[in-house]
């Protein structure tokens, strides 16, 4: 009969109304600023730069290769390379970013910068309360604000961080092995040179020192291959 | 002439003039509605409550909507800039002439000289009883006319059956 | 005890008389009617907009609970942690709409655009002038034409709606206005016809007299509300349905269907003009509910003629019944989906109109057979005369709402 459907519906809504008072299970609302739910591990909001040492600026993993800058779909990353070099986590001499800015208002949280970074230097943060009262300066995030420690990364994304740490450990081990091999090679070369010098009795040790570091640049090239495998 | 009468009469005449002279048809219609409302006010001034409120219900509530729909459904409401070809003076002189003739006729007739009997308290009940007894034939004829008009409208608006043409 | 309550019941009337007495001393003669009118109007202007403000919050909270949400519960007293269960919300909303920029579209017809909200609010407020809010409490008693005044003034809101929609020069506004006008014109007929039964039985258009006609007592305690008759019961629900459509309430809120035409005829209004539309809409609903109470629910009369009920002041009864109807409308809004335009029109012309006409006949028979058939037989007879057509009409209606078969989405 016409109208029975309406009555049925009204009974249903009345049940909901009464139920929401005595049965808190029904209410899915989280009253946000006071109540918070733990963020999901796979949550991502805005990138940050990983650093390893106590001083964030010294320990940034970023080598200013600008791959992320080029890959960023909305072009929200701006990097200026340094003129000088400094040692990275494996003790290798690298460039570092003098300026590393991300425009918060343009970033679309796509994570492509993270995907393309060969150095595990940029990761996604779960921090979402990013509102700001300064809509121009405040939304341009510089490298001091972006830098966050590896511990922070381990805390927010434990699984991902473990994989990343493993990859880096492999890199470090490789670098160490290489360095060891280099040292051995150097020692061997030095010994050979010594022998040669002794044999020829006329050679300068300066030339040996200059040739020794030549095989080193191959180490970073191996990293991109290692990262997808991880 | 009391002050309320002057205000209502001025409003009615003013809006009637506006209804004739405005270029935008919808504005004309809205001014006409104001005229209807002013007329209702005049009825109320004459203590004819029922007629006054019926005037509002029928004219302001229904006829105005009819006019507005007719305007919107038939032609563009954009005011056209082309000047009217007929000079208004002919129309105005005809209207003034007609009004003067009627006014003179009314003034000359004995109706105005008769002292109006104290108006009986006309209640809605008496109105209804009159409609159902003395005036039942006109009422029924009007009902028939309206029914015929409605049926005609329905037939005109009815969709042609497919393939009938 | 009873006398004290009687005094409390008549307190607004005595207060006004006392004020008039006081003012008579030093005000010129010709201002007295104006002052008297102003004193009568003030409580209406204070109570009903306040009720509107509270309704907006209660509605949002109620709808929230119906949907298993919490609803607004934040805004309380500023600079403190007192939240008042969110009942500060309407003040915040009011301040917001007052200080918001008033944007008028460049292409809009400025004069008509400005006049439309005013032309909408004034008739809506005027309808309150004939409603009897309590014993001896009717601002404008029209013994000949009270109900007609209500409908006449209420009908003139249609044009204001059209003015708003047309002057905005926005297709959504115009569509909304067209929908609103078509809907209001269609549902006005069942609305008036369903109220006409009461006029037919009581033989008067005066709302005060209609309330007083319900004061007779059945079985020694039950007041003779028109709701307690078969034609009144059916008439009340027909009236409520038509009133919901007149007031653009769900499920008849097509004129402002957000998912289709943004906000309908007031799409292009912002700031306080928007608030006025909102206010007028709710005040229109309250006025309709007030009329329904007056016609069918015994106005300011208590349901039974027994001591504790009769002690409660008459205006409390009116406001209580009004609140109950408002809650009913909120409940309906939380339950029913919106109709489609053709369903809306079909419902008005194929269901409501025949039902109201049959209801008129039943009411006439009820009146004519009053002396011939005892109440015990008359009641079931009248009810059956309405229930059978209801079932038949409803059946033909329901056939259309068969379960939809999907070709691909199953």
């Amino acid at each position: 009969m016409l109208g029975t459907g309406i009555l049925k519906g009204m009974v249903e809504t009345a049940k909901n109304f009464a139920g929401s008072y005595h049965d808190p299970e029904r209410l899915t609302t989280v009253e946000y600023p006071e109540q918070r739910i733990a963020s999901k591990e796979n949550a991502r909001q805005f990138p940050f730069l990983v650093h390893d040492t106590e001083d964030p600026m010294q320990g940034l993993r970023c080598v200013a290769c600008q791959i992320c800058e080029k890959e960023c779909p909305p072009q929200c990353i701006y990097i200026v390379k340094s003129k000088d070099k400094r040692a990275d986590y494996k003790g290798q001499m690298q460039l570092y970013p003098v300026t590393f800015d991300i425009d918060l208002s343009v970033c679309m949280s796509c994570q492509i910068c993270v995907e393309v970074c060969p150095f595990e230097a940029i990761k996604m943060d779960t921090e979402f309360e990013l509102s700001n009262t300064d809509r121009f300066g405040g939304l341009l995030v510089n490298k001091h604000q972006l830098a966050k420690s590896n511990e922070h990364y381990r805390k927010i994304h434990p699984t991902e961080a473990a994989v990343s740490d493993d990859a880096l450990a492999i890199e470090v081990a490789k670098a160490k092995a290489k360095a060891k091999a280099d040292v051995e090679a150097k020692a061997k070369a030095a010994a050979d040179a010594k022998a040669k010098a002794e044999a020829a009795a006329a050679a300068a040790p300066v030339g040996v020192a200059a040739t020794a570091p030549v095989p080193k640049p191959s180490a970073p090239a191996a990293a991109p291959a290692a990262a997808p495998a991880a | 002439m009391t002050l309320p009468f002057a205000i209502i009469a001025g409003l009615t005449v003013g809006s009637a003039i506006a209804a004739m002279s405005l270029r935008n048809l919808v504005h004309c219609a809205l001014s006409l509605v104001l005229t209807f409302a002013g007329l209702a006010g005049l009825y109320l001034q004459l203590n004819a409550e029922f007629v006054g409120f019926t005037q509002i219900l029928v004219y302001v509530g229904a006829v105005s909507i009819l006019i507005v729909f007719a305007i919107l459904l038939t032609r563009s409401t954009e005011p056209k800039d082309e000047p009217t070809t007929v000079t208004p003076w002919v129309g105005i002189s005809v209207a003034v002439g007609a009004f003067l003739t009627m006014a003179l006729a009314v003034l000359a007739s004995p109706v105005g000289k008769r002292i109006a009997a104290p108006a009986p308290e006309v209640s809605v009940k008496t109105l209804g009883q009159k409609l159902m007894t003395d005036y039942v034939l006109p009422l029924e004829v009007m009902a028939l006319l309206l029914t015929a008009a409605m049926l005609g409208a329905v037939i005109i608006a009815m969709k042609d059956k497919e393939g009938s043409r | 005890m009873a006398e004290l309550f009687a005094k409390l019941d008549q307190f607004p009337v005595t207060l006004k008389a006392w004020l008039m007495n006081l003012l008579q001393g030093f005000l010129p003669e010709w201002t007295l009617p104006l002052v008297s009118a102003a004193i009568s109007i003030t409580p209406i202007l204070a109570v009903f907009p306040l009720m509107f403000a509270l309704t907006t919050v209660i509605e949002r909270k109620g709808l929230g609970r119906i949907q298993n949400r919490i609803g607004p519960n934040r805004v309380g007293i500023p600079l403190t942690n007192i939240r008042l269960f969110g009942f500060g919300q309407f003040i915040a909303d009011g301040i917001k709409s007052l200080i918001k920029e008033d944007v008028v579209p460049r292409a809009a017809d400025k004069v008509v655009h400005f006049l439309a909200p005013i032309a909408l609010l004034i008739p809506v407020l005027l309808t309150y002038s004939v409603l009897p809010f309590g014993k001896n409490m009717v601002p404008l008693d029209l013994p000949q034409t009270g109900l007609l005044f209500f409908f006449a003034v209420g009908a003139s809101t249609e044009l204001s709606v059209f003015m708003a929609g047309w002057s905005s020069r926005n297709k959504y506004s115009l569509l909304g206005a067209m929908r609103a006008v078509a809907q209001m014109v269609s549902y006005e007929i069942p609305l008036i016809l369903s109220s006409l039964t009461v006029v037919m039985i009581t033989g008067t258009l005066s709302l005060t007299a209609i309330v007083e006609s319900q004061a007779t007592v059945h079985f020694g305690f039950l007041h003779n509300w028109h709701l307690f008759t078969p034609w009144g019961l059916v008439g009340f629900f027909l009236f409520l349905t038509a009133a919901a459509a007149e007031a653009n309430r769900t499920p008849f809120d097509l004129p402002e269907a957000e998912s289709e035409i943004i906000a309908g005829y007031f799409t292009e209004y912002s700031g306080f003009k928007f608030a006025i539309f909102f206010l007028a809409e709710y005040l229109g609903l309250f006025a309709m509910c007030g009329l329904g109470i007056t016609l069918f629910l015994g106005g300011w009369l208590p349901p039974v003629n027994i001591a504790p009920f009769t002690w409660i002041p008459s205006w409390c009864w009116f406001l209580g019944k009004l609140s109950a109807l408002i809650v009913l409308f909120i409940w309906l809004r939380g339950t029913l989906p919106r109709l489609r335009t053709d369903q809306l029109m079909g419902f008005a012309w194929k269901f409501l109109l025949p039902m109201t006409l049959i209801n008129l006949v039943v009411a006439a028979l009820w009146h004519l057979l009053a002396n011939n058939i005892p109440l015990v037989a008359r009641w079931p007879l009248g009810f059956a005369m309405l229930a059978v057509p209801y079932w038949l009409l409803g059946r033909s209606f329901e056939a259309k709402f068969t379960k939809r078969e999907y070709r691909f989405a199953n």
Side-chain angles (χ1 to χ4, degrees):
Chain A
M1 204 167 80
L2 185 72
T4 45
I6 295 175
L7 289 179
K8 251 194 236 167
M10 288 184 76
V11 169
E12 193 61 36
T13 45
K15 270 184 200 160
N16 274 356
F17 182 83
S20 70
Y21 279 102
H22 69 73
D23 183 12
E25 288 288 299
R26 282 171 174 269
L27 295 173
T28 51
T29 311
V30 178
E31 294 196 71
Y32 155 61
E34 296 90 22
Q35 295 172 17
R36 284 158 187 274
I37 40 176
S39 118
K40 292 270 189 307
E41 198 186 327
N42 285 345
R44 64 167 194 248
Q45 196 64 39
F46 189 67
F48 69 97
L49 296 174
V50 189
H51 67 81
D52 291 308
T53 53
E54 282 297 307
D55 178 12
M57 286 308 107
Q58 286 304 310
L60 279 184
R61 288 181 187 169
C62 179
V63 300
C65 66
Q66 290 179 314
I67 295 176
C68 53
E69 188 182 14
K70 292 192 181 79
E71 290 280 346
C72 178
Q75 301 277 297
C76 67
I77 304 178
Y78 174 70
I79 300 172
V80 175
K81 283 184 186 180
S82 62
K83 295 273 188 293
D84 57 330
K85 289 188 176 183
R86 68 176 188 214
D88 67 356
Y89 63 99
K90 332 186 255 202
Q92 195 177 340
M93 296 309 283
Q94 293 280 22
L95 296 173
Y96 58 94
V98 175
T99 308
F100 195 114
D101 292 339
I102 304 182
D103 193 335
L104 179 55
S105 60
V106 178
C107 174
M108 60 184 202
S109 314
C110 66
Q111 208 182 358
I112 287 178
C113 49
V114 178
E115 300 291 345
V116 299
C117 182
F119 301 98
E120 310 280 341
I122 189 164
K123 295 291 171 194
M124 295 304 279
D125 202 349
T126 50
E127 174 66 48
F128 56 90
E129 287 157 315
L130 299 164
S131 58
N132 204 300
T133 50
D134 176 6
R135 68 178 162 141
F136 301 109
L139 293 177
L140 190 69
V141 187
N142 62 28
K143 68 172 179 176
H144 298 276
Q145 294 157 293
L146 286 170
K148 277 166 194 166
S149 69
N150 199 24
E151 276 67 48
H152 175 71
Y153 182 40
R154 283 186 192 129
K155 210 170 80 191
I156 57 172
H157 298 304
T159 324
E160 245 184 80
V163 175
S164 162
D165 283 349
D166 286 349
L168 285 175
I170 292 166
E171 286 300 309
V172 171
K174 267 190 196 166
K176 267 187 187 157
K178 189 143 244 162
K180 207 175 165 189
D182 282 350
V183 169
E184 278 167 12
K186 202 171 151 189
K188 204 182 167 194
D192 285 357
K194 212 174 184 183
K196 265 185 194 169
E198 276 168 10
V206 185
V208 179
T211 51
V214 170
K216 263 194 178 174
S218 66
Chain B
M1 194 163 73
T2 58
L3 184 68
F5 174 79
I7 294 172
I8 295 173
L11 199 72
T12 312
V13 173
S15 58
I17 291 171
M20 286 186 296
S21 52
L22 285 175
R23 301 305 304 242
N24 191 321
L25 268 182
V26 174
H27 287 172
C28 297
L30 293 177
S31 324
L32 193 62
V33 172
L34 201 59
T35 316
F36 292 151
L39 281 179
L42 289 178
Y43 290 140
L44 290 181
Q45 276 257 306
L46 295 170
N47 280 335
E49 274 180 33
F50 184 77
V51 182
F53 292 136
T54 311
Q55 164 90 6
I56 294 181
L57 183 68
V58 173
Y59 280 89
V60 179
V63 171
S64 64
I65 297 295
L66 200 71
I67 295 172
V68 157
F69 264 67
I71 291 171
L72 285 187
L73 294 179
T74 48
R75 50 181 284 183
S76 161
T77 53
E78 296 295 326
K80 293 203 175 64
D81 286 334
E82 60 197 48
T84 43
T85 46
V86 187
T87 49
W89 299 112
V90 182
I92 288 174
S93 53
V94 167
V96 168
F99 177 76
L100 278 180
T101 319
M102 276 171 67
L104 283 174
V106 168
L107 285 177
S109 74
V111 176
K113 293 185 184 80
R114 210 189 297 152
I115 297 157
E121 188 67 22
V122 183
S123 70
V124 181
K125 209 167 228 166
T126 26
L127 270 178
Q129 269 159 358
K130 285 276 175 201
L131 276 180
M132 282 295 143
T133 53
D134 295 358
Y135 299 96
V136 71
L137 187 68
L139 185 77
E140 290 303 318
V141 168
M142 258 161 65
L144 198 68
L145 182 73
L146 286 175
T147 313
M150 198 171 75
L151 283 179
V154 168
I155 287 169
I156 291 170
M158 203 155 52
K159 242 187 248 169
D160 290 325
K161 273 187 193 144
E162 265 178 64
S164 67
R165 267 181 206 179
Chain C
M1 195 68 179
E3 256 182 42
L4 178 74
F5 282 113
K7 268 187 186 157
L8 191 66
D9 178 22
Q10 289 302 304
F11 176 68
V13 180
T14 42
L15 182 71
K16 188 191 165 184
W18 178 77
L19 266 177
M20 286 309 292
N21 245 336
L22 197 73
L23 292 170
Q24 228 158 15
F26 49 90
L27 279 180
E29 184 98 9
W30 61 273
T31 57
L32 285 176
L34 294 176
V35 172
S36 164
I39 295 174
S40 299
I41 290 166
T42 315
I44 297 178
L45 286 184
V47 170
F48 289 97
L50 182 71
M51 214 160 164
F52 152 70
L54 287 172
T55 304
T56 56
V57 183
I58 293 170
E59 177 157 36
R60 287 166 65 186
K61 286 178 91 77
L63 288 181
R65 288 290 173 172
I66 281 173
Q67 295 156 7
N68 285 325
R69 291 184 289 109
I70 293 173
N73 64 349
R74 296 268 151 180
V75 188
I77 299 166
L79 307 177
T80 62
N81 277 330
I82 304 162
R83 280 192 174 161
L84 307 173
F85 301 101
F87 275 93
Q89 185 72 47
F90 68 89
I91 299 172
D93 287 348
I95 294 170
K96 187 197 92 172
S97 66
L98 267 176
I99 59 177
K100 240 175 129 173
E101 187 187 358
D102 176 35
V103 183
V104 181
R106 195 185 301 156
D109 195 313
K110 302 275 186 313
V111 180
V112 183
H113 190 267
F114 175 77
L115 284 176
I118 302 168
L120 184 63
L121 187 61
I122 288 175
V124 168
L125 284 175
L126 275 179
T127 54
Y128 282 86
S129 57
V130 288
L131 289 179
F133 301 106
K135 206 183 213 169
N136 305 328
M137 277 170 241
V138 52
L140 174 69
D141 193 13
L142 294 173
Q144 290 295 321
T145 50
L147 189 67
L148 185 70
F149 175 86
F150 188 96
F151 285 129
V153 172
S156 47
T157 55
E158 287 159 23
L159 199 72
S160 322
V161 166
F162 171 79
M163 280 163 74
W166 176 80
S167 65
S168 297
R169 285 292 162 95
N170 176 322
K171 60 184 122 177
Y172 299 116
S173 299
L174 192 59
L175 272 176
M178 289 306 215
R179 282 183 179 194
V181 169
Q183 176 179 326
M184 285 163 112
V185 168
S186 301
Y187 278 83
E188 202 156 42
I189 298 160
L191 186 79
I192 293 179
L193 283 180
S194 58
S195 333
L196 216 56
T197 51
V198 176
V199 177
M200 210 162 76
I201 295 293
T202 56
T204 175
L205 282 170
S206 159
L207 293 176
T208 325
I210 286 174
V211 173
E212 274 154 11
S213 77
Q214 301 178 56
T216 51
V217 176
H218 277 304
F219 313 121
F221 67 98
L222 194 67
H223 270 301
N224 181 27
W225 289 7
H226 292 141
L227 184 74
F228 302 148
T229 59
W231 56 268
L233 185 67
V234 174
F236 177 63
F237 284 104
L238 292 171
F239 180 89
L240 269 195
T241 315
E246 279 287 295
N248 298 337
R249 288 289 298 190
T250 330
F252 306 108
D253 61 344
L254 287 96
E256 45 208 76
E258 301 92 340
S259 50
E260 298 156 29
I261 47 173
I262 309 170
Y265 51 87
F266 49 86
T267 301
E268 292 291 359
Y269 283 88
S270 52
F272 204 64
K273 285 185 196 160
F274 183 86
I276 285 180
F277 274 103
F278 218 58
L279 174 72
E281 189 168 289
Y282 273 81
L283 288 186
L285 177 73
F286 297 169
M288 281 290 171
C289 290
L291 186 66
I293 291 165
T294 308
L295 293 179
F296 297 101
L297 299 185
W300 38 262
L301 289 166
V304 288
N305 196 14
I306 299 171
F309 292 99
T310 47
W311 287 352
I312 298 169
S314 54
W315 39 276
C316 285
W317 275 114
F318 184 87
L319 289 179
K321 289 172 190 175
L322 184 56
S323 314
L325 282 186
I326 292 168
V327 166
L328 177 71
F329 273 114
I330 295 173
W331 188 2
L332 278 172
R333 185 175 171 188
T335 307
L336 298 179
R338 186 179 296 133
L339 264 71
R340 219 170 48 212
T341 307
D342 59 325
Q343 293 169 342
L344 179 90
M345 289 296 158
F347 188 67
W349 295 104
K350 293 182 196 160
F351 181 78
L352 281 184
L353 188 62
M355 277 309 290
T356 47
L357 288 174
I358 294 166
N359 199 26
L360 268 180
V361 174
V362 171
L365 283 178
W366 175 270
H367 186 63
L368 288 177
L369 300 178
N371 297 326
N372 303 343
I373 305 178
L375 189 69
V376 191
R378 206 156 32 124
W379 216 101
L381 182 73
F383 192 75
M385 282 182 70
L386 285 162
V388 172
Y390 174 84
W391 181 65
L392 288 173
L393 283 170
R395 200 181 52 164
S396 73
F397 233 84
E398 248 178 343
K400 278 185 189 166
F401 304 126
T402 46
K403 192 160 185 281
R404 195 179 284 183
E405 294 284 335
Y406 294 97
R407 279 174 63 214
F408 302 112
N410 281 327

